[in-house]
Each structure stands twice: as structure tokens, then as C-alpha cells.
Amino acid sequence: MPNGCKQRKFSTTAFIIVAVICAVTALVDASALVLAASEIRAAQAVYAVYGVAVAFTITAYFCLVYFRRELRAAVTDAIFSTRLVAKLRQYDVFERALNDYGWRTSLTAIAVLAWNIVYVSYLIWMAVAYKSPWYAALAGFYTWLVLIRGSVIAAEKYVAHANFLLPQLIKLINIKSSSPSCAL
């Protein structure tokens, strides 16, 4: 590290302060949403709660942005130093998920696709059970999203397979094109 540059040290106290601010922010935001949904919207207290909610949300956002590197390092060290992760690293699947970005991305995309299919099934059930056009519209929208996500996953698998075969096909085409041909 060059002389004159100071590295910020993330202390436990700062971590606790950020965690408390985020927790209080969540509680104040939840109470603001409850007040917004209730019948006492015209009361003066609602505006004060909204103001506090906005202030806490902005404070939490800037704390998280300011300490993002330190928070990431602290959380990553805390997670990867546990005995559970040490035991899971013994398995090839977990080790590959940690080290191979492409495989990890595919794995999470497939997991999210499975969850989206479950959610679409729930929305279809709600639309049929309650004869609700709202749930039917949501089911249609999420069905399109599932189809798009599924096609992206399938296309990625196809492109990955094609990229594996493409150099072999090009070599085969070059061999055939370099062989003498009969001109008519």
C-alpha cells in the first residue's frame, strides 16, 4: 500500500451500528406501510412516520454504500470460516459452485426457474379458486417470464454445447474445403 493511503478498518461497533440502523429502518418502513394501509391516513402522525421512514431508509442506504467493501469482506469471512462450509467443501458440487462462476450462474437460474414455476402454479390456482382476473393476469405475466427464462437457460446450454462443437466443425469444414474438388 502506498505511503499516505489509509485503509479503512471496519470495526465490530460499526457493523453493529449499521445492522441496528437497517433493523430500525425495516421496522419504521413496515409501520409506515401499515399506517398507509389503515384508515388513519389523514392523521398528522402518519406524516411524521413517513418522514422518519424516509430518513432511516436514506441513512441505511448510505451506510451500506459507504461500508459495502468492509461489510462484504466481514460477511464473506464469517460465512466461509464456519464449520458447515468447511464440511460442505468436501463435496465436489459445493466446491464447483463456489469456484465456477458459469456453473453457479446456471445452477441459480435453474433454481429460480423452478421457484417461478411453483409461483405460476399458485397464481393459476388462485385465479381458478377465486375466479379472479387479477390472478389470471399475473399468472399469464409470470408464465411469459418463465418461458423467457427457460428459453434463455436452454439457449445458454445450446450455445455452450455449440461452442464446444464449433471448433471441431470448423476444423472439419476446413479439411473438406482444402481437399481438391472437381470443377464442372
Side-chain angles (χ1 to χ4, degrees):
M1 179 170 283
N3 294 341
C5 292
K6 290 185 178 180
Q7 183 179 8
R8 290 187 302 191
K9 182 75 174 157
F10 191 70
S11 66
T12 307
T13 307
F15 182 75
I16 292 171
I17 290 171
V18 170
V20 167
I21 288 174
C22 291
V24 169
T25 300
L27 291 173
V28 172
D29 288 345
S31 63
L33 288 173
V34 168
L35 288 174
S38 67
E39 296 296 325
I40 59 170
R41 277 183 252 171
Q44 295 297 322
V46 173
Y47 299 114
V49 172
Y50 287 157
V52 171
V54 168
F56 271 116
T57 303
I58 291 171
T59 303
Y61 174 76
F62 282 115
C63 284
L64 290 174
V65 168
Y66 184 75
F67 290 118
R68 71 184 177 276
R69 290 186 185 101
E70 292 85 0
L71 281 171
R72 180 177 182 195
V75 170
T76 303
D77 291 344
I79 289 173
F80 289 125
S81 65
T82 63
R83 287 185 290 175
L84 174 66
V85 173
K87 288 200 185 263
L88 288 175
R89 279 187 178 264
Q90 296 173 354
Y91 301 104
D92 292 335
V93 173
F94 190 75
E95 190 66 31
R96 186 174 178 194
L98 287 175
N99 296 330
D100 187 358
Y101 178 76
W103 192 79
R104 182 174 59 233
T105 303
S106 296
L107 183 69
T108 56
I110 291 169
V112 169
L113 177 66
W115 178 251
N116 285 347
I117 291 170
V118 169
Y119 186 62
V120 166
S121 303
Y122 165 75
L123 289 174
I124 290 171
W125 178 79
M126 292 292 285
V128 171
Y130 295 107
K131 297 179 181 124
S132 170
W134 172 253
Y135 285 117
L138 282 176
F141 174 72
Y142 280 101
T143 300
W144 276 110
L145 291 179
V146 163
L147 292 173
I148 291 169
R149 183 182 299 272
S151 64
V152 166
I153 291 171
E156 192 274 330
K157 294 294 182 189
Y158 175 75
V159 167
H161 185 68
N163 284 340
F164 174 73
L165 294 177
L166 190 60
Q168 296 168 352
L169 290 173
I170 291 173
K171 187 189 297 183
L172 183 64
I173 291 170
N174 287 338
I175 291 171
K176 287 186 178 181
S177 64
S178 64
S179 63
S181 59
C182 298
L184 296 176

